[in-house]
Amino acid sequence: MDLMWTDKQQELRRRFARFAREQIAPGGAERDRDETFDAAVWRALADAGFWRVHVPKRLGGDGGDLWDHVAAFEGLAGGADDCAFVLSAAAHAGLLQLLLRWGTEEQRRRFVPGLLAGRLGSTAATEATGGSHVSAIRTTARRAPGGGFLLTGDKSHITNAPLADLMMVVGRVVGIGERDITLFLVDKDQEGVTRGGHESLLGLRGSPLGPITLRDVTVEPDRVLGEVGEGLDVLYWCLAFDRLIYGIVVAAHVEALLPRAVERIREREAFGVPLAEHQYVQEKVVDMQTTIEASRSLAYAAAAALQREDGTNRASLLASCVKLLSADGLVRAALELVQIFGHLGFERGTGIERHLRDAVAFRIAGGTNEMQKKNIFTQVMRAHGGLASGGTTR
């Protein structure tokens, strides 16, 4: 799928690519080394208007649409040279999208302005016992005597959790039947909320990731996002959005890395000729370009499906396809970039190896590659008149 971008969208891409090159990229290696999230850069991103792009004007936004958001995200990912920071932005974007699409008007007016201004958001579904199997969560919500709910559970490996101001927590309402999964909006300072520290990771070390513990956290009825018991349908939409953004990020990131590979194979010689004249090396560049084009096109197709009222199932299929393809493509691209640079690629000081460490996480975060394959297979079977065992998992 190809798009005719408007002048406004082209400018958004250029504007946030420039912001990312100037504000995010210079500190990427330091954030990776020190395992820190730069809150000042995060606030600068908000001040630059990144989150206002696709938000209605009545909520303090610029009144744009999803495609404006995609254009801005492409620019950000292409200029940042830091997948960790960009994936923290993707997690924040997921919460913002949920509020815009599924929140009540009161919830939007209450929470959206803060998320536009620099408050950090998080979506908390994953648990130690379920991993990518979101419908297997054990966090429970019991009806409180005075109304509302008491939320208890443990979330694991949640992006932005150690520093998040507002969290969407997935739980199960006790005693309402099979359809019990519900989404709750929880503030960091509520009684009963405890967050762990920043996990030490192989890659994405500049993105704060950690656990959330909830013990009888009071959640008022107006903090339920969507309808009670209808959370899984909302979550499937959110997962599709999250996964297509991964495709956007991969395409833009690899596109930014490609010139470094091309420059290297032009300048470096082996056996008396530039590396670019060796067929095995040419194949590496071809694969990088193919990853860019395929990831971007599939992500665009998923975004188009997601905008249709009845398009969640189609978007879910396409988003799993792009997540699977782009994650594998990014790992190959990062590995081949190290190979092209040889010893320099393996050396910490050049920064090349960081891209490989970050790339590995893409096969796990946002639903493992195996879970994407399961979702794709399930939807293929459903489309052709048969459903494999366990086919409701996404």
Side-chain angles (χ1 to χ4, degrees), residues 115-340:
L115 295 175
L116 302 188
R119 295 190 82 208
L120 184 61
S122 179
T123 57
T126 303
E127 297 179 2
T129 55
S132 296
H133 188 185
V134 294
S135 61
I137 63 164
R138 298 183 180 181
T139 296
T140 59
R142 295 178 288 106
R143 298 279 187 181
F149 302 90
L150 295 175
L151 196 60
T152 296
D154 299 280
K155 298 298 181 181
S156 302
H157 319 306
I158 305 302
T159 301
N160 294 345
L163 300 175
D165 299 290
L166 179 67
M167 299 163 281
M168 183 280 288
V169 177
V170 184
R172 315 187 84 105
V173 176
V174 176
I176 66 170
E178 186 176 343
R179 290 182 63 86
D180 58 356
I181 291 181
T182 305
L183 311 183
F184 303 92
L185 296 168
V186 177
D187 281 324
K188 64 176 182 178
D189 296 325
Q190 285 187 241
E191 186 176 353
V193 176
T194 304
R195 298 173 299 164
H198 186 145
E199 295 177 11
S200 185
L201 306 171
L202 170 71
L204 300 182
R205 292 157 60 88
S207 177
L209 195 89
I212 304 171
T213 300
L214 306 115
R215 295 292 181 265
D216 287 337
V217 177
T218 300
V219 183
E220 300 297 336
D222 62 1
R223 291 293 191 97
V224 173
L225 185 61
E227 299 295 328
V228 172
E230 301 297 322
L232 201 55
D233 291 337
V234 178
L235 196 58
Y236 284 161
W237 189 97
C238 182
L239 287 171
F241 171 79
D242 187 47
R243 290 164 183 170
L244 77 86
I245 290 294
Y246 274 72
I248 294 295
V249 170
V250 168
H253 185 63
V254 176
E255 191 170 51
L257 293 177
L258 188 56
R260 300 177 71 174
V262 170
E263 181 182 14
R264 173 71 173 179
I265 65 174
R266 280 176 172 168
E267 294 179 349
R268 181 72 170 177
E269 290 191 356
F271 302 100
V273 297
L275 291 178
E277 295 190 23
H278 292 278
Q279 187 172 358
Y280 293 132
V281 176
Q282 294 168 3
E283 185 179 10
K284 302 177 191 305
V285 173
V286 169
D287 188 60
M288 292 176 74
Q289 186 65 48
T290 302
T291 292
I292 294 166
E293 301 298 344
S295 297
R296 180 169 286 149
S297 294
L298 268 175
Y300 289 172
L306 203 60
Q307 287 189 298
R308 297 195 295 269
E309 288 298 323
D310 59 347
T312 301
N313 285 337
R314 177 65 176 165
S316 179
L317 171 64
L318 290 170
S320 282
C321 288
V322 69
K323 175 62 169 57
L324 177 64
L325 181 144
S326 63
D328 281 344
L330 179 61
V331 171
R332 289 196 310 273
L335 184 59
E336 297 295 19
L337 191 64
V338 170
Q339 193 76 16
I340 285 170

Side-chain angles (χ1 to χ4, degrees), residues 77-154:
D81 196 41
D82 185 355
C83 284
F85 188 93
V86 174
L87 288 194
S88 274
H92 181 88
L95 176 58
L96 190 53
Q97 285 292 333
L98 284 176
L99 282 164
L100 293 175
R101 185 175 178 88
W102 303 98
T104 65
E105 186 63 18
E106 190 276 333
Q107 287 172 340
R108 294 180 192 128
R109 292 188 180 278
R110 182 175 182 180
F111 298 116
V112 168
L115 295 175
L116 302 188
R119 295 190 82 208
L120 184 61
S122 179
T123 57
T126 303
E127 297 179 2
T129 55
S132 296
H133 188 185
V134 294
S135 61
I137 63 164
R138 298 183 180 181
T139 296
T140 59
R142 295 178 288 106
R143 298 279 187 181
F149 302 90
L150 295 175
L151 196 60
T152 296
D154 299 280

